[in-house]
Amino acid sequence: MHTVFYDTKKQMVSLQGSRSTYAIKLYNSNLPMHMYWGPKIGSIKDPGTFFSHERAFAIRVKDRDTSFFIEEMHFEYGFSETGDFRIPAFSIRDGRNYPVTGPFETVFRIHERKPEIQGLPAARMKKDEKLESLEIVMSDTLSGLEISLHYTMFPEDDALVRNVSFHNRGDSAIRIEKAASMSLDILNRGFELLYLPGVWAGERRVMRTPLVPGSISFGSTRGISSHQFNPACALLEADTNEFRGSAYGFNLIYSGNFLTEFELNQDQNVRINMGIHPDSFEWQLEPEQRFDTPEAVLVYSDGGINGMSGQFHRFIQERIVPPGFKHRERPVLFNNWEATYFNFDEKVLKELTDGVSDLGIELFVLDDGWFEGRNSDETSLGDWYADRKKLPGGLRSFGEYVEKKGMLFGLWIEPEMISRRSELAQLHPDWHISNPGRPLSEGRNQLVLDLSRTEVCDFLIDTVDKLLSSALIQYVKWDMNRYITGFAALHLPVSRQKEVYHRYILGLYRIMKTITEKYPEVLFEGCAGGGGRFDLGILFFMPQFWTSDNTDAVSRIRIQYGTSIFYPPITMGAHVSIVPNHQVGRCTPLKMRACTAMSGNLGYELDLRRQKVEELEEIRQQIQFYKKYRRLIQFGRFIRLQSPFDTNEAAWMFLEKDGSDFIFFWFRLHAEAEKAVSKIRLSYLVPDKIYREDSFPLEYTGSELMHGGLPLPQVEGEYASLMFVFHGN
Ligand code: DGJ
């Protein structure tokens, strides 16, 4: 199937999705200009006419050439120091330490396949799949630097992936100071930025703000993508809502420091740059070496925010998560963390195992505290073998006990970390990240191992490998509980010091790749103090993530709602926990907690020994229900209907791909007096299908539900929730 169309006469390339087009023109043989991105327009007749006019103070690219001024053009990769005063996409110094400014001699190349990216996760190709890709090669004759912009359109989801590679074909070293993965200039159409700022236990709040002259940027310098800003974001036209209008979505397949920039200038141009954060980055490129940036994913939808989400959700399932998990149902799990914290022994664990096994739980996860001497968060990270006082028979024997009870066995680890009080620290006192001569900065009483060093990564691969083969471990929760600071690279020369943060991520990806490929059957769940590294880079290796440490249902409704804008529910770990809730102290009904957790990968994280008999029975029924509808919830289409950020209510639904059955969830966050009668309009149903809900009973046509709405019964009280299962025929 052709996706890249090259008109050599007009020097124009268009990338065609099934419903979108992206077009680029090579102007003046050295300026790759952005021409179009939006609804599909098929063949492009525009010769790329560019109307310029004489301007005071404008800088010309060539002396006396008044045909254009670089600052007013729309580019595919914003130049630096050329007279284009917008935020540049790249910043590079040649062997003399002079700026490499461009424009450069440029050519288009079309390839039959998507290029390989060195050491980084990237959108997956199926075996033997051919998918055309475009390479725009910009060559700097002076330094020998070749900058290649790569584009591949995945037509089924209208997802365009982009990245950039830098190849030093000269004879002296080149220094890359900034290298965005993508850059793009588009004309402002009253755009609003939707992004997901947050905090630990309050991740991914939905924020929508108009662009104003000047720049808006967000990112992370914490060493991980962070709780504070997720890399995903979107530009929306002002009248775009969940169901209608244009949405331009962006995400980055990367887990480290990143920066996303939006700049609105005097010409109503919006420049968008997205990539590794330049504040904590530099790369020295020796002759013949190549540097690849992470891949960015761009999605256009004319079906509103839900439309864009649907495309991202499918793309993540099809092209990001490990293929073995694409269709694999996720087990209902029990996790002992909030039930016991560090305070357990084998007797307690066995009591918990006995208690949960007949409720229908399928996976028992042993969280933090199981390894040598780990009775608080002050010790033992690095010593990954069972504490014999707590587990006299070791992991294997406890795992067998779990297995005998009919469940899978899962384990928590935090391999990237080291405690000062640990055997590993005694053995390798110089393996943690430090800044010699300056105080050590601890977070949660722990230090980070220097994964920019090959021997440290090799050691971790070996350690995790031995651990996983030491017992029948079928699930791993891979945690990471502090940000990275004061990172001096003891093993690197002076000129490479700023490479460490990116090298850390490359090391981490190598470890994750080796381990997950060796254990393809093991279900890995990423975690970073909850949702601090919930990004496409981790999802490439681990098909799900612990969404947040906050298990309070009201908070979770917001967190999961925000997360769902870019990530499908099947990537979200979601647990029912005790009340009063441990993070916020709120008491919500068991039903609301379950409806929230069922909207992701359901788990239970509470001391079930303390639950009343009726509550245990309710839990048993919840699990039965979830298992019955798990395929629909985990693999169906997720649609947001009402936002908990705009109202006191939230509603969403999971719809079978063929539009037949669906499950509807509704929540009221706080009790209200004189509550008006409400109806919620549903979406994406088949208009003339009859949809029946048997328990009430209710019956409507798809059209009625989509245009008239689903009337909601009056529900009294605080923290109300409703769940309806409709069957269509
Ligand atoms: C942070 C995680 O997010 C929690 O779920 C738990 O695993 C703790 N770490 C254990 O230390």
CSV table of all heavy atoms in Angstrom, one decimal, residues 682-718:
chain,number,residue,atom,x,y,z
A,682,LEU,N,-25.1,9.2,24.3
A,682,LEU,CA,-24.0,8.2,24.1
A,682,LEU,C,-23.5,8.4,22.6
A,682,LEU,O,-24.0,9.2,21.9
A,682,LEU,CB,-24.5,6.8,24.3
A,682,LEU,CG,-25.3,6.6,25.6
A,682,LEU,CD1,-25.6,5.1,25.8
A,682,LEU,CD2,-24.5,7.0,26.8
A,683,SER,N,-22.5,7.7,22.3
A,683,SER,CA,-21.9,7.9,21.0
A,683,SER,C,-21.4,6.6,20.3
A,683,SER,O,-21.2,5.6,21.0
A,683,SER,CB,-20.7,8.8,21.2
A,683,SER,OG,-20.8,9.9,20.4
A,684,TYR,N,-21.2,6.7,19.0
A,684,TYR,CA,-20.6,5.6,18.2
A,684,TYR,C,-21.5,4.3,18.2
A,684,TYR,O,-21.0,3.2,18.0
A,684,TYR,CB,-19.2,5.2,18.7
A,684,TYR,CG,-18.3,6.4,18.7
A,684,TYR,CD1,-17.9,7.1,19.8
A,684,TYR,CD2,-17.7,6.8,17.5
A,684,TYR,CE1,-17.1,8.2,19.8
A,684,TYR,CE2,-16.8,7.9,17.4
A,684,TYR,CZ,-16.5,8.6,18.6
A,684,TYR,OH,-15.7,9.7,18.6
A,685,LEU,N,-22.8,4.4,18.6
A,685,LEU,CA,-23.7,3.2,18.5
A,685,LEU,C,-24.2,3.0,17.1
A,685,LEU,O,-24.1,3.9,16.3
A,685,LEU,CB,-24.8,3.4,19.5
A,685,LEU,CG,-24.5,3.6,21.0
A,685,LEU,CD1,-25.7,3.9,21.8
A,685,LEU,CD2,-23.7,2.4,21.5
A,686,VAL,N,-24.8,1.9,16.9
A,686,VAL,CA,-25.4,1.6,15.6
A,686,VAL,C,-26.8,2.2,15.6
A,686,VAL,O,-27.6,1.8,16.5
A,686,VAL,CB,-25.4,0.1,15.3
A,686,VAL,CG1,-26.0,-0.1,13.9
A,686,VAL,CG2,-24.0,-0.5,15.4
A,687,PRO,N,-27.2,3.2,14.8
A,687,PRO,CA,-28.4,3.9,14.9
A,687,PRO,C,-29.6,3.0,15.1
A,687,PRO,O,-30.5,3.3,16.0
A,687,PRO,CB,-28.5,4.8,13.7
A,687,PRO,CG,-27.1,4.9,13.2
A,687,PRO,CD,-26.4,3.6,13.6
A,688,ASP,N,-29.8,2.0,14.2
A,688,ASP,CA,-31.1,1.3,14.3
A,688,ASP,C,-31.0,0.0,15.1
A,688,ASP,O,-31.9,-0.8,15.0
A,688,ASP,CB,-31.7,1.1,12.9
A,688,ASP,CG,-30.6,0.6,11.9
A,688,ASP,OD1,-29.6,0.2,12.4
A,688,ASP,OD2,-30.9,0.6,10.7
A,689,LYS,N,-29.9,-0.2,15.8
A,689,LYS,CA,-29.9,-1.4,16.7
A,689,LYS,C,-30.7,-1.2,17.9
A,689,LYS,O,-30.9,0.0,18.4
A,689,LYS,CB,-28.4,-1.6,17.1
A,689,LYS,CG,-27.9,-2.9,16.8
A,689,LYS,CD,-26.5,-3.1,17.4
A,689,LYS,CE,-25.6,-3.9,16.5
A,689,LYS,NZ,-26.1,-5.1,15.9
A,690,ILE,N,-31.3,-2.2,18.4
A,690,ILE,CA,-32.0,-2.1,19.7
A,690,ILE,C,-31.1,-2.5,20.8
A,690,ILE,O,-30.5,-3.6,20.8
A,690,ILE,CB,-33.2,-3.1,19.7
A,690,ILE,CG1,-34.1,-3.0,18.5
A,690,ILE,CG2,-34.1,-2.9,21.0
A,690,ILE,CD1,-34.9,-1.7,18.4
A,691,TYR,N,-30.9,-1.7,21.8
A,691,TYR,CA,-30.0,-1.9,22.9
A,691,TYR,C,-30.9,-2.2,24.1
A,691,TYR,O,-31.7,-1.4,24.5
A,691,TYR,CB,-29.1,-0.7,23.1
A,691,TYR,CG,-28.0,-0.6,22.0
A,691,TYR,CD1,-28.3,0.3,20.9
A,691,TYR,CD2,-26.8,-1.3,22.0
A,691,TYR,CE1,-27.4,0.5,19.9
A,691,TYR,CE2,-25.9,-1.1,21.0
A,691,TYR,CZ,-26.2,-0.2,20.0
A,691,TYR,OH,-25.2,-0.1,19.0
A,692,ARG,N,-30.6,-3.3,24.8
A,692,ARG,CA,-31.4,-3.7,26.0
A,692,ARG,C,-30.5,-3.8,27.2
A,692,ARG,O,-29.4,-4.4,27.1
A,692,ARG,CB,-32.0,-5.1,25.8
A,692,ARG,CG,-33.3,-5.0,25.0
A,692,ARG,CD,-34.1,-6.3,25.1
A,692,ARG,NE,-35.1,-6.2,24.0
A,692,ARG,CZ,-34.9,-6.5,22.7
A,692,ARG,NH1,-33.8,-7.1,22.4
A,692,ARG,NH2,-35.8,-6.3,21.8
A,693,GLU,N,-31.0,-3.3,28.3
A,693,GLU,CA,-30.3,-3.5,29.6
A,693,GLU,C,-31.3,-4.3,30.4
A,693,GLU,O,-32.4,-3.9,30.7
A,693,GLU,CB,-29.9,-2.1,30.1
A,693,GLU,CG,-29.8,-1.9,31.6
A,693,GLU,CD,-29.0,-2.7,32.4
A,693,GLU,OE1,-27.7,-2.6,32.4
A,693,GLU,OE2,-29.5,-3.6,33.2
A,694,ASP,N,-30.9,-5.5,30.8
A,694,ASP,CA,-31.9,-6.4,31.4
A,694,ASP,C,-32.2,-6.2,32.9
A,694,ASP,O,-33.3,-6.4,33.3
A,694,ASP,CB,-31.4,-7.9,31.2
A,694,ASP,CG,-31.3,-8.2,29.7
A,694,ASP,OD1,-32.1,-7.6,29.0
A,694,ASP,OD2,-30.5,-9.1,29.3
A,695,SER,N,-31.2,-5.7,33.6
A,695,SER,CA,-31.5,-5.6,35.1
A,695,SER,C,-32.6,-4.6,35.4
A,695,SER,O,-33.3,-4.7,36.4
A,695,SER,CB,-30.3,-5.4,35.9
A,695,SER,OG,-29.6,-4.3,35.4
A,696,PHE,N,-32.7,-3.5,34.6
A,696,PHE,CA,-33.6,-2.4,35.0
A,696,PHE,C,-35.1,-2.7,34.6
A,696,PHE,O,-35.9,-2.4,35.5
A,696,PHE,CB,-33.1,-1.1,34.5
A,696,PHE,CG,-32.3,-0.4,35.6
A,696,PHE,CD1,-31.1,-0.8,36.0
A,696,PHE,CD2,-32.9,0.7,36.3
A,696,PHE,CE1,-30.4,-0.2,37.0
A,696,PHE,CE2,-32.2,1.3,37.3
A,696,PHE,CZ,-30.9,0.8,37.7
A,697,PRO,N,-35.6,-3.1,33.6
A,697,PRO,CA,-35.0,-3.3,32.3
A,697,PRO,C,-35.2,-2.0,31.5
A,697,PRO,O,-36.1,-1.2,31.8
A,697,PRO,CB,-35.8,-4.4,31.7
A,697,PRO,CG,-37.1,-4.3,32.4
A,697,PRO,CD,-37.0,-3.7,33.7
A,698,LEU,N,-34.3,-1.8,30.5
A,698,LEU,CA,-34.3,-0.6,29.7
A,698,LEU,C,-34.2,-1.0,28.2
A,698,LEU,O,-33.5,-2.0,28.0
A,698,LEU,CB,-33.2,0.4,30.0
A,698,LEU,CG,-33.0,0.9,31.5
A,698,LEU,CD1,-31.7,1.5,31.7
A,698,LEU,CD2,-34.2,1.9,31.7
A,699,GLU,N,-34.8,-0.3,27.3
A,699,GLU,CA,-34.7,-0.6,25.9
A,699,GLU,C,-34.7,0.6,25.1
A,699,GLU,O,-35.6,1.5,25.2
A,699,GLU,CB,-35.8,-1.6,25.5
A,699,GLU,CG,-35.7,-2.0,24.1
A,699,GLU,CD,-36.8,-3.1,23.7
A,699,GLU,OE1,-36.8,-4.1,24.4
A,699,GLU,OE2,-37.5,-2.8,22.8
A,700,TYR,N,-33.7,0.8,24.2
A,700,TYR,CA,-33.7,2.0,23.3
A,700,TYR,C,-33.1,1.6,22.0
A,700,TYR,O,-32.3,0.6,21.9
A,700,TYR,CB,-32.8,3.1,23.9
A,700,TYR,CG,-33.1,3.5,25.3
A,700,TYR,CD1,-32.5,2.9,26.4
A,700,TYR,CD2,-34.0,4.5,25.5
A,700,TYR,CE1,-32.8,3.3,27.7
A,700,TYR,CE2,-34.3,4.9,26.8
A,700,TYR,CZ,-33.7,4.3,27.9
A,700,TYR,OH,-34.0,4.7,29.2
A,701,THR,N,-33.3,2.5,21.0
A,701,THR,CA,-32.5,2.3,19.8
A,701,THR,C,-31.2,3.1,19.9
A,701,THR,O,-31.1,4.0,20.8
A,701,THR,CB,-33.2,2.9,18.5
A,701,THR,OG1,-33.3,4.3,18.7
A,701,THR,CG2,-34.6,2.3,18.3
A,702,GLY,N,-30.2,2.7,19.1
A,702,GLY,CA,-29.0,3.5,19.1
A,702,GLY,C,-29.2,5.0,18.9
A,702,GLY,O,-28.6,5.8,19.5
A,703,SER,N,-30.1,5.3,17.9
A,703,SER,CA,-30.4,6.7,17.7
A,703,SER,C,-30.9,7.4,18.9
A,703,SER,O,-30.5,8.5,19.2
A,703,SER,CB,-31.4,6.9,16.5
A,703,SER,OG,-30.9,6.3,15.4
A,704,GLU,N,-31.8,6.8,19.6
A,704,GLU,CA,-32.4,7.4,20.8
A,704,GLU,C,-31.3,7.7,21.8
A,704,GLU,O,-31.3,8.8,22.3
A,704,GLU,CB,-33.4,6.4,21.4
A,704,GLU,CG,-34.8,6.4,20.9
A,704,GLU,CD,-35.6,5.3,21.6
A,704,GLU,OE1,-35.5,4.1,21.2
A,704,GLU,OE2,-36.3,5.7,22.5
A,705,LEU,N,-30.4,6.7,22.0
A,705,LEU,CA,-29.4,6.9,23.0
A,705,LEU,C,-28.4,8.0,22.5
A,705,LEU,O,-27.8,8.7,23.4
A,705,LEU,CB,-28.6,5.6,23.2
A,705,LEU,CG,-29.5,4.5,24.0
A,705,LEU,CD1,-28.7,3.2,24.0
A,705,LEU,CD2,-29.7,5.0,25.4
A,706,MET,N,-28.1,8.1,21.2
A,706,MET,CA,-27.1,9.0,20.7
A,706,MET,C,-27.7,10.5,20.7
A,706,MET,O,-27.0,11.4,21.0
A,706,MET,CB,-26.6,8.6,19.4
A,706,MET,CG,-25.7,7.4,19.5
A,706,MET,SD,-24.8,7.1,18.0
A,706,MET,CE,-26.0,6.5,16.9
A,707,HIS,N,-29.0,10.6,20.3
A,707,HIS,CA,-29.5,11.9,20.1
A,707,HIS,C,-30.4,12.4,21.3
A,707,HIS,O,-30.3,13.5,21.7
A,707,HIS,CB,-30.3,12.0,18.8
A,707,HIS,CG,-29.5,11.6,17.6
A,707,HIS,ND1,-28.3,12.2,17.3
A,707,HIS,CD2,-29.7,10.5,16.8
A,707,HIS,CE1,-27.8,11.6,16.3
A,707,HIS,NE2,-28.6,10.6,15.9
A,708,GLY,N,-31.2,11.4,21.8
A,708,GLY,CA,-32.0,11.8,23.0
A,708,GLY,C,-31.3,11.7,24.3
A,708,GLY,O,-31.4,12.5,25.2
A,709,GLY,N,-30.5,10.6,24.4
A,709,GLY,CA,-29.7,10.4,25.6
A,709,GLY,C,-30.2,9.3,26.5
A,709,GLY,O,-31.4,8.9,26.4
A,710,LEU,N,-29.4,8.8,27.4
A,710,LEU,CA,-29.8,7.8,28.3
A,710,LEU,C,-30.2,8.5,29.6
A,710,LEU,O,-29.4,9.2,30.3
A,710,LEU,CB,-28.6,6.9,28.6
A,710,LEU,CG,-28.7,5.8,29.7
A,710,LEU,CD1,-29.8,4.8,29.3
A,710,LEU,CD2,-27.4,5.2,30.0
A,711,PRO,N,-31.5,8.3,30.0
A,711,PRO,CA,-32.0,9.0,31.2
A,711,PRO,C,-31.4,8.3,32.4
A,711,PRO,O,-31.3,7.1,32.5
A,711,PRO,CB,-33.5,8.8,31.2
A,711,PRO,CG,-33.9,8.1,30.0
A,711,PRO,CD,-32.6,7.6,29.4
A,712,LEU,N,-30.9,9.1,33.4
A,712,LEU,CA,-30.3,8.4,34.6
A,712,LEU,C,-31.3,8.4,35.7
A,712,LEU,O,-31.9,9.4,36.0
A,712,LEU,CB,-29.0,9.2,35.0
A,712,LEU,CG,-27.9,9.2,33.9
A,712,LEU,CD1,-26.7,10.0,34.5
A,712,LEU,CD2,-27.5,7.8,33.6
A,713,PRO,N,-31.4,7.3,36.4
A,713,PRO,CA,-32.2,7.3,37.6
A,713,PRO,C,-31.7,8.2,38.7
A,713,PRO,O,-30.5,8.4,38.7
A,713,PRO,CB,-32.2,5.8,38.0
A,713,PRO,CG,-31.0,5.2,37.4
A,713,PRO,CD,-30.7,6.0,36.2
A,714,GLN,N,-32.5,8.7,39.6
A,714,GLN,CA,-32.1,9.5,40.7
A,714,GLN,C,-31.3,8.7,41.7
A,714,GLN,O,-31.9,7.6,42.1
A,714,GLN,CB,-33.3,10.2,41.4
A,714,GLN,CG,-33.9,11.3,40.6
A,714,GLN,CD,-32.9,12.6,40.5
A,714,GLN,OE1,-31.9,12.6,41.2
A,714,GLN,NE2,-33.3,13.6,39.7
A,715,VAL,N,-30.1,9.0,42.0
A,715,VAL,CA,-29.4,8.2,43.0
A,715,VAL,C,-29.0,9.2,44.1
A,715,VAL,O,-28.5,10.3,43.9
A,715,VAL,CB,-28.1,7.6,42.4
A,715,VAL,CG1,-27.6,6.5,43.2
A,715,VAL,CG2,-28.3,7.2,41.0
A,716,GLU,N,-29.4,8.8,45.3
A,716,GLU,CA,-29.1,9.7,46.5
A,716,GLU,C,-27.7,9.5,47.0
A,716,GLU,O,-27.1,8.5,46.8
A,716,GLU,CB,-30.1,9.3,47.6
A,716,GLU,CG,-31.5,9.6,47.3
A,716,GLU,CD,-31.8,11.0,47.1
A,716,GLU,OE1,-31.2,11.9,47.8
A,716,GLU,OE2,-32.6,11.3,46.1
A,717,GLY,N,-27.2,10.5,47.7
A,717,GLY,CA,-26.0,10.3,48.5
A,717,GLY,C,-24.7,10.7,47.9
A,717,GLY,O,-24.6,11.0,46.7
A,718,GLU,N,-23.7,10.6,48.7
A,718,GLU,CA,-22.4,11.0,48.3
A,718,GLU,C,-21.8,9.8,47.5
A,718,GLU,O,-22.1,8.6,47.7
A,718,GLU,CB,-21.6,11.1,49.6
A,718,GLU,CG,-20.3,11.8,49.6
A,718,GLU,CD,-20.4,13.3,49.6
A,718,GLU,OE1,-21.3,13.9,48.9
A,718,GLU,OE2,-19.6,14.0,50.3
